[in-house]
Amino acid sequence: MDEQKKNMLSLIQPTNTPHLGNYLGAMRNWVKMQNEYNCFFGIADLHSITVRQDPVKLRAQIKESYALLIAAGLDPEKSVLFVQGHNPTHAELSWVLSCYTQFGELSRMTQFKDKSAKHPDNINAGLFTYPVLMAADILLYQANYVPVGQDQLQHLELARNIVQRFNGIYGDVFTMPEGYITKSTAKVMSLQEPTKKMSKSDENANASVWVLDDRDTIIRKFKRAVTDSETEICAREGKDGIINLMSIYSAATDKSFEEIEREFNGKGYGEFKLAVGEAVADMLAPMQSEFKRISADKSYVEQCMKDGAEKAYKFSRKTLSKVYKKVGFVTF
Ligand code: TRP
């Protein structure tokens, strides 16, 4: 831990394999943060059970997501890579913070409203208090920066309100977190409905590209991507499918939209889609082979998890003891 550096934290949920949007929007950017910040990155297993999960699948996905973080280039020696559920302080702080969060505030969370509409048979209390657990994740590590997608900004805002309220009563206990939004973060849309975000729970198998899809599968999915009835490859309004493919291609090759338009001037959609598929497959290949190599060594991944949990705990328990003292619990 370098006192000079600011802290950064973000977690991903282990529901399903990460998709292209998770890779381009989160994992790939995290790798670039490792030298500049004290980084805490992890797997939000506790959050994932707000929606019913199959235990066998969940366990496999936690291990897979964790190994993928390393395969993507995160260095367990540089960053703290951990599984949320391995560190008991998350659940502990979450309880305390829930007593400093209003029912009305949580009722206004759009994700809660959306998810309750989607799972009307399981509107559990965890789904409701989900943002409080997320606030605990952030505040435990005194995170200055939290890289999140647009959909999590409301939750981050709630965490900021909790900090203001708590610090207002007890003094400077928590660092005020800020969203970390990079311009370069590509927003990846569904390949089948390009006005919708690529989603882990999409039922259409051609809508999402999983980071562990093989080359042929990736190319096939891009070939089937929904576009429009025109012929021009450009970022004009109404061309959501083409714009999505252009921004994926741009993220994979570092080419600008102008360069892409020039490259495919006079060429057809078929040729363009193939190029995007190949570029994505090339981009993911190193991570895929690294994943294969790492996963073969189960004891290595397990050791990284244990070390990560220990480092995470060592840091976060300091915050938790401070909180316990401030609110008036008896501590030793
Ligand atoms: N809720 C986030 C998501 O679904 C995951 C998450 C959990 C998270 N805890 C966090 C993200 C803390 C940032 C910081 O994407």
Side-chain angles (χ1 to χ4, degrees):
M1 200 64 41
D2 183 342
E3 298 280 333
Q4 303 297 314
K5 291 182 181 170
K6 305 251 185 198
N7 295 354
M8 175 172 274
L9 171 133
S10 197
L11 308 183
I12 47 166
Q13 287 204 48
T15 44
N16 225 328
T17 300
H19 58 51
L20 191 57
N22 303 127
Y23 178 71
L24 291 175
M27 297 157 78
R28 187 171 82 159
N29 298 326
W30 294 359
V31 176
K32 302 180 205 149
M33 309 295 172
Q34 295 189 98
N35 294 322
E36 208 173 324
Y37 302 100
N38 296 315
C39 290
F40 298 89
F41 294 126
I43 309 300
D45 56 344
L46 300 180
H47 277 103
S48 71
I49 62 163
T50 52
V51 174
R52 200 71 73 227
Q53 303 290 338
D54 171 50
V56 174
K57 246 178 90 186
L58 180 60
R59 192 163 7 258
Q61 282 167 189
I62 293 167
K63 291 181 190 163
E64 182 189 89
S65 308
Y66 187 88
L68 274 168
L69 294 183
I70 302 174
L74 289 167
D75 179 349
E77 301 292 327
K78 263 191 210 162
S79 302
V80 178
L81 307 180
F82 69 107
V83 177
Q84 183 192 33
H86 289 169
N87 180 356
T89 62
H90 291 255
E92 291 168 318
L93 182 64
S94 183
W95 168 253
V96 176
L97 297 184
S98 74
C99 300
Y100 294 81
T101 309
Q102 298 304 305
F103 185 88
E105 290 182 293
L106 291 176
S107 313
R108 284 193 291 276
M109 296 290 125
T110 56
Q111 192 175 82
F112 170 69
K113 290 190 243 177
D114 293 347
K115 283 198 182 170
S116 349
K118 217 167 146 192
H119 305 277
D121 53 335
N122 186 21
I123 307 179
N124 59 75
L127 198 61
F128 190 65
T129 58
Y130 177 116
V132 181
L133 178 60
M134 182 165 156
D137 299 338
I138 297 167
L139 305 189
L140 277 170
Y141 301 94
Q142 307 290 357
N144 303 89
Y145 297 113
V146 185
V148 281
Q150 201 68 32
D151 61 320
Q152 297 297 317
L153 282 179
Q154 198 186 23
H155 293 160
L156 182 61
E157 205 46 45
L158 178 78
R160 291 170 54 87
N161 290 337
I162 295 174
V163 169
Q164 197 164 37
R165 191 169 302 146
F166 199 92
N167 286 0
I169 305 171
Y170 303 105
D172 278 343
V173 179
F174 297 125
T175 302
M176 182 63 83
E178 264 173 62
Y180 190 98
I181 296 161
T182 41
K183 272 202 296 304
S184 63
T185 303
K187 188 170 176 197
V188 178
M189 314 302 278
S190 155
L191 296 188
Q192 292 297 312
E193 280 177 82
T195 51
K196 251 181 46 189
K197 239 179 82 166
M198 190 175 281
S199 156
K200 282 184 171 177
S201 53
D202 206 309
E203 269 150 37
N204 187 331
N206 289 317
S208 313
V209 173
W210 309 108
V211 299
L212 292 174
D213 277 349
D214 62 38
R215 188 175 184 87
D216 290 346
T217 307
I218 294 172
I219 291 172
R220 179 168 41 78
K221 286 179 178 175
F222 277 102
K223 274 189 185 157
R224 294 190 184 158
V226 168
T227 49
D228 52 60
S229 54
E230 302 177 357
T231 54
E232 216 183 327
I233 292 147
C234 67
R236 208 185 307 122
E237 205 182 315
K239 294 175 77 73
D240 300 300
I242 290 294
I243 293 173
N244 187 34
L245 294 180
M246 285 175 76
S247 65
I248 293 171
Y249 189 64
S250 167
T253 60
D254 240 3
K255 291 176 186 164
S256 70
F257 272 34
E258 292 77 47
E259 285 172 293
I260 298 170
E261 284 177 14
R262 238 177 292 128
E263 183 179 351
F264 293 96
N265 184 20
K267 295 184 180 154
Y269 283 3
E271 197 172 330
F272 178 49
K273 287 178 178 179
L274 178 65
V276 182
E278 284 176 339
V280 168
D282 288 345
M283 171 182 72
L284 294 176
M287 173 170 70
Q288 293 182 346
S289 59
E290 197 49 16
F291 173 77
K292 231 189 200 160
R293 193 182 68 80
I294 293 166
S295 313
D297 189 350
K298 288 212 171 59
S299 64
Y300 170 71
V301 178
E302 216 177 280
Q303 195 54 50
C304 289
M305 271 190 185
K306 283 185 190 157
D307 294 346
E310 205 171 300
K311 287 186 213 162
Y313 180 70
K314 219 174 138 199
F315 190 96
S316 64
R317 75 188 159 107
K318 290 189 197 138
T319 305
L320 187 70
S321 339
K322 217 173 181 182
V323 168
Y324 275 15
K325 256 189 226 134
K326 292 285 186 183
V327 301
F329 294 165
V330 176
T331 54
F332 301 104

